[in-house]
Amino acid sequence: MTQKTHAVRLHRFGGPEVLSYEEVDVPPPGPGEAIVRNHAVGVNFIDIYVRTGLYPSPLPGGIGYEGSGVVEAVGAGVTHVRPGDRVAYCQGILGAYAALRTMPAAQLIKLPRGIAFDVAAAMMLKGLTVQYLFRQTYRLQGNETILFHAAAGGVGLIACQWARALGVKLIGTVSSPDKAARAKAAGAWAIIDSTRENIPARVAELTGGAKVPVVYDGVGKDTWEASLDCLQPRGLMVSFGNSSGAVTNVSLGILAQKGSLFVTRPTLATHVLPRSRFEESSAELFDLVDKKKLKIDIGSSYPLAEAARAHTELAARKTTGSLILLP
Ligand SMILES: NC(=O)c1ccc[n+]([C@@H]2O[C@H](COP(=O)([O-])OP(=O)(O)OC[C@H]3O[C@@H](n4cnc5c(N)ncnc54)[C@H](OP(=O)(O)O)[C@@H]3O)[C@@H](O)[C@H]2O)c1
């Protein structure tokens, strides 16, 4: 039987005002699907790219990739989750900004007992991102010094703690003293205030002129060139986001000029397939949380109906840590 719920929908791309909180139908689960009652929903910068149309999606449509809750029903062929299971998810079909949703069951992972719903919604997408950045894209061994932009953000505060757990010295960029204090407390080895310091000069100073073997850059347009200038010869530029705008019109010659550099533009979607990889990465993340090496920082929570306020504050650089919506 089709049920009714409330969800945030997009009918056009634009500012936070296009996030429309409305009543929608929840169809019964088809083969391979499950119905999940969300207890918390994760807000990610990628949701802003979807809302503005930078990452095109079908309209009208749902928004949001990440959530946690309880399975209410499953369709034919679903065996890895059952009604009553506590689950979380962070990929695949848009539509997490909802109280109740029908979705592909393959996206669901069972939540360990010790992880609360709000923590799960605050950490799945961001934590699995740090997992692949640090363990797959450039496999950190310990003892490296790295540069990580927006170190007090949602992904950033997890990265600071994960780096500390690996014995890696993370130099983090932030835009305020308060953010600097938070990133430091989370384990950053050194902080650069990007609003008043020259990033490559400070990185050179902090590393005794050696610079870094890898830069993790989720800021994009504003930091692209500075990031390249922080790399050692043959270093790796990991451009994984565009919070300041997309990097465009790049001439490959710049990689030669700056020292035979490598560059990659990775996305989480290609790091959680096949499902066994999703399960292994999630297990690594859950283990770090269980061992208290990672403490998930929920900077702000908002009612689901106020998703626009969450987007406004995230885009304005006013937030730290992870943001969640509560249905
Ligand atoms: N490729 C992937 O697989 C993947 C997965 C997850 C996230 N990401 C990316 O990772 C980045 C962080 O995501 P998040 O959700 O955790 O967001 P976030 O870091 O909490 O928020 C973005 C931060 O970017 C910094 N920033 C610098 N210039 C900015 C500008 N002009 N406008 C807005 N923010 C600016 C701000 O920190 P300061 O004020 O301290 O500079 C801001 O707090 C995003 O780029 C996101 O797209 C990529």
Side-chain angles (χ1 to χ4, degrees), residues 79-161:
T79 53
H80 68 290
V81 290
R82 289 186 304 193
D85 281 347
R86 301 172 73 251
V87 292
Y89 57 91
C90 62
Q91 39 152 340
I93 310 274
L94 286 166
Y97 287 22
L100 189 70
R101 65 180 300 210
T102 307
M103 59 185 293
Q107 293 172 14
L108 300 173
I109 192 112
K110 278 197 211 170
L111 263 187
R113 227 176 265 283
I115 298 183
F117 291 121
D118 57 349
V119 170
M123 77 175 200
M124 287 303 296
L125 194 149
K126 300 168 187 77
L128 292 186
T129 297
V130 176
Q131 195 284 339
Y132 86 72
L133 292 174
F134 284 6
R135 310 301 285 155
Q136 300 183 53
T137 303
Y138 184 102
R139 196 170 169 84
L140 295 168
Q141 310 289 336
N143 285 323
E144 298 93 341
T145 303
I146 65 172
L147 179 65
F148 201 104
H149 290 293
V155 176
L157 284 184
I158 295 175
C160 290
Q161 298 175 73

Side-chain angles (χ1 to χ4, degrees), residues 45 49 129 132 153-155 174-175 179 218 240-243 266 268 315 317:
F45 218 95
Y49 310 144
T129 297
Y132 86 72
V155 176
V174 298
S175 66
K179 289 184 175 188
F240 70 100
N242 350 260
S243 61
L268 177 61
R317 305 167 79 162

Side-chain angles (χ1 to χ4, degrees), residues 235-260:
L236 176 64
M237 166 67 169
V238 184
S239 175
F240 70 100
N242 350 260
S243 61
S244 69
V247 178
T248 52
N249 297 324
V250 172
S251 160
L252 282 181
I254 198 169
L255 303 177
Q257 284 163 28
K258 304 234 182 234
S260 303

Side-chain angles (χ1 to χ4, degrees), residues 28 30 32 44 105-106 116 131 184 241 256 262 321:
N44 292 283
Q131 195 284 339
K184 261 291 214 204
F262 294 84

